[in-house]
C-alpha cells in the first residue's frame, strides 16, 4: 500500500488492492474485509481465501493464521454469498474440465525418431554406406555428393579425374 506496509499483505496482493483503489489501511477498513476481497475478484484477479484471511488479519493487526476458525467460516460464507451475486463472465464460455493429452514420440526399433535413422542409417550389412537417405548402394554414373545431389564422380567435363 502506498506509505506504510500492511501486515500480511505481500507485494502481489498490495498491487491488486492498489489497482482497485485501496491504497491505505483506512481505505480497506472503511469497506471491510469481504468487500475489499470482492473488489479484487470483480477486477478479474483470481484471489484465494488466503487473501481474504490476510486482509482480515491486517485489519485486526494479527497474523492471518491466528484468525479463529469461526471467523474464517463467517468470512467464507460472506465471500461465497457475494460471489454468487456476481454476473457470469462476459465473452467467455463456462469453464470445462481440463484434459491433458500426452503425445508419445514415434520411436523405431533402431532408436531413431520420426522415421529418421540414427548414425549409419541406410547402410546394409557388408554394403557401402550411403548418405543417410537409405540408398545404400552406389550406381555407376549416379554417385551422390555430400548434399545428396547427383555428382560427376570427380571428373571434369572431358571425363578426366581431378
Amino acid at each position: 500500500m502506498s506509505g506504510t506496509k500492511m501486515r500480511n499483505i505481500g507485494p502481489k496482493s498490495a498491487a491488486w488492492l492498489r489497482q482497485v483503489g485501496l491504497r491505505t489501511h483506512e481505505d480497506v477498513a472503511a469497506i471491510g474485509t469481504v468487500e475489499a476481497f470482492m473488489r479484487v475478484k470483480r477486477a478479474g484477479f483470481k484471489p484465494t481465501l488466503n487473501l481474504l484471511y490476510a486482509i482480515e488479519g491486517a485489519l485486526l493487526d494479527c497474523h492471518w493464521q491466528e484468525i479463529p476458525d469461526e471467523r474464517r467460516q463467517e468470512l467464507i460464507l460472506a465471500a461465497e454469498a457475494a460471489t454468487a451475486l456476481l454476473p457470469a463472465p462476459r465473452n467467455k464460455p463456462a469453464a470445462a474440465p481440463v484434459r491433458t493429452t500426452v503425445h508419445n514420440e514415434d520411436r523405431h526399433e533402431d532408436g531413431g525418431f520420426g522415421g529418421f535413422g540414427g548414425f549409419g542409417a541406410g547402410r546394409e550389412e557388408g554394403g557401402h554406406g550411403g548418405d543417410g537417405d537409405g540408398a545404400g548402394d552406389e550406381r555407376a554414373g549416379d554417385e551422390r555428393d555430400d548434399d545428396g545431389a547427383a555428382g560427376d564422380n570427380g571428373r571434369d567435363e572431358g571425363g578426366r579425374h581431378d
Side-chain angles (χ1 to χ4, degrees), residues 54-127:
I55 294 170
E56 179 74 5
L59 293 178
L60 298 175
D61 195 29
C62 69
H63 192 275
W64 66 271
Q65 291 177 332
E66 296 173 6
I67 297 170
D69 287 337
E70 300 81 35
R71 179 61 181 151
R72 286 185 188 208
Q73 291 304 314
E74 291 172 10
L75 292 169
I76 291 171
L77 291 174
E80 286 176 349
T83 301
L85 298 175
L86 291 176
R90 294 181 298 187
N91 301 325
K92 293 182 183 177
V98 177
R99 294 184 186 154
T100 303
T101 304
V102 178
H103 297 281
N104 293 327
E105 294 181 18
D106 186 21
R107 294 182 181 249
H108 294 279
E109 291 177 349
D110 65 348
F113 293 95
F116 296 103
F119 291 107
R123 292 181 183 253
E124 297 174 8
E125 284 188 44

Side-chain angles (χ1 to χ4, degrees), residues 13 15 17 46 50 53 57 83 101 110 118 127 136 138 158:
S13 298
L17 291 169
K46 306 283 189 227
N50 286 343
Y53 305 147
T83 301
T101 304
D110 65 348
E138 296 176 4

Side-chain angles (χ1 to χ4, degrees), residues 13 16 37 40-41 45-55:
S13 298
W16 286 351
F37 178 80
V40 170
K41 194 169 182 94
F45 301 111
K46 306 283 189 227
T48 64
L49 292 177
N50 286 343
L51 178 63
L52 188 65
Y53 305 147
I55 294 170

